[in-house]
Each structure stands twice: as structure tokens, then as C-alpha cells.
Amino acid sequence: MINVTLTPSLLGRLSLMLCLSLVLSSCGFYLQGQSQRSFPPQLNLYVDDPSLARVVSKDMLQHDVALTVLDSVVGMDTEVPSVQLTGTKKQKAELILDTDGEVLIWRYTLSTNYLFMAGGKPRGPEDAPFKQRSMPLSVSTDVDLSGTNATVNERIEAVNWMLLYQQLGNRVARQLSFE
């Protein structure tokens, strides 16, 4: 038989653990494992922006997807799942100006329209490609030029665009993993 003596410090620790476990379980906090992304084994990809095409292609190849990058959607193989990224736009906007009218904060935004088409023949009119709707995806970042950051140069701008392309590529891969 095991003899355990409950000291005030041990009793306090047990009470604290019990309270924490009750509070965390009642508030909806649950430990969850990492979700595994699932991608189709083969994919057609059409992207109207070469920089975004490079990022998405690299990401898909890392997930062992046999990727065919298309120059046009005309005559593409409809038996293979396809992703179309069209209407890709880069926007740079003045967000906040100082009293002299100088820009303090710029907002860089990169957006595209995402369209996933499952492979196979359409089962009916509702599955026809012209009935499918694209979903807008966008990412943005703000660049602060106030104080010591008062100089913006081409390198800062190029780095921001590069990071936005990577973020948008990650959003595309995440969306594709849900299809």
C-alpha cells in the first residue's frame, strides 16, 4: 500500500491544477494535433502573374504535386483538377499623411481571384465551368515611414512585394488544401 502525505503545498498544487483544468475545458480550449494538408496528386495551374506563379509552383512541388503550369486555359485537360489565379493586382496606397502632406504610412496590397475546378466531366449544368465563381484572396502590409524610418527606397519596396507574394502563395496553398 502506498502512503501519501498531503502537505499544504501539495494540496495547493493539486487544487491549482484542478482549477486550471476545469477552467480551460469549460472555455473551449482543447489541445489539437496539427492538421495535415491534403493536395491533389496532379494539378493544372494557370496564373496571370509570373511572380505569383513561381511562388505557388514552388509550394506545390514541395507538397509532391505533379504540376502543369498553363499558358492559357483554352483547351486545358478537364480531367485533372485545376486552379486559376486571375486578375492579380498590386496596389500601393497612401494610408496616413503628416501635417505637411508627406506620407507616413503606405499600404501595399496584393490580390488575386482564386478558382478551383475539380477534375472530371461536369455531372450537370450546375457543374459547368462557366457557372463556377472565383473567390478573391488578398494580403496587405503597412510600411511606416515616420521617425527613423523616414526614407523609403526601392529595396524596401521590393522586399515588401516579395513578402506579399509569399503570403499570397501560402493563402492559395491553404485554400487548395481545403478543396
Side-chain angles (χ1 to χ4, degrees):
M1 180 170 212
I2 299 175
N3 187 8
V4 177
T5 306
L6 292 176
T7 63
S9 66
L10 182 60
L11 191 58
R13 287 181 187 165
L14 287 174
S15 299
L16 180 63
M17 290 294 288
L18 180 62
C19 287
L20 281 176
S21 64
L22 289 174
V23 167
L24 289 177
S25 65
S26 67
C27 74
F29 176 81
Y30 298 101
L31 293 176
Q32 298 176 355
Q34 273 188 320
S35 64
Q36 295 294 322
R37 290 183 173 181
S38 63
F39 296 95
Q42 188 175 359
L43 183 69
N44 288 329
L45 176 67
Y46 173 76
V47 184
D48 64 355
D49 185 294
S51 298
L52 184 57
R54 278 190 298 276
V55 170
V56 173
S57 297
K58 183 179 176 183
D59 197 15
M60 290 298 105
L61 293 175
Q62 287 177 348
H63 289 96
D64 296 325
V65 176
L67 189 65
T68 303
V69 179
L70 305 173
D71 293 329
S72 171
V73 293
V74 177
M76 73 176 175
D77 182 7
T78 57
E79 294 294 318
V80 176
S82 301
V83 171
Q84 295 179 19
L85 303 172
T86 57
T88 305
K89 295 179 191 168
K90 291 170 53 174
Q91 296 174 328
K92 178 181 170 184
E94 300 169 347
L95 195 59
I96 297 177
L97 304 174
D98 67 4
T99 55
D100 297 330
E102 296 293 321
V103 179
L104 292 178
I105 299 179
W106 286 96
R107 173 162 288 163
Y108 294 89
T109 304
L110 182 63
S111 61
T112 193
N113 294 311
Y114 170 92
L115 176 64
F116 176 79
M117 293 182 291
K121 301 275 187 214
R123 291 183 297 270
E126 69 277 357
D127 291 335
F130 58 85
K131 293 281 187 183
Q132 295 177 341
R133 302 272 184 231
S134 62
M135 177 178 60
L137 295 178
S138 68
V139 291
S140 63
T141 189
D142 297 340
V143 178
D144 184 1
L145 300 178
S146 61
T148 59
N149 301 327
T151 59
V152 65
N153 60 29
E154 293 175 5
R155 182 175 179 205
I156 292 172
E157 191 167 331
V159 166
N160 281 307
W161 287 122
M162 181 185 66
L163 291 173
L164 286 176
Y165 274 110
Q166 290 173 348
Q167 289 174 359
L168 189 58
N170 289 339
R171 292 271 319 266
V172 167
R174 180 180 166 93
Q175 185 62 38
L176 181 61
S177 71
F178 294 130
E179 302 290 352

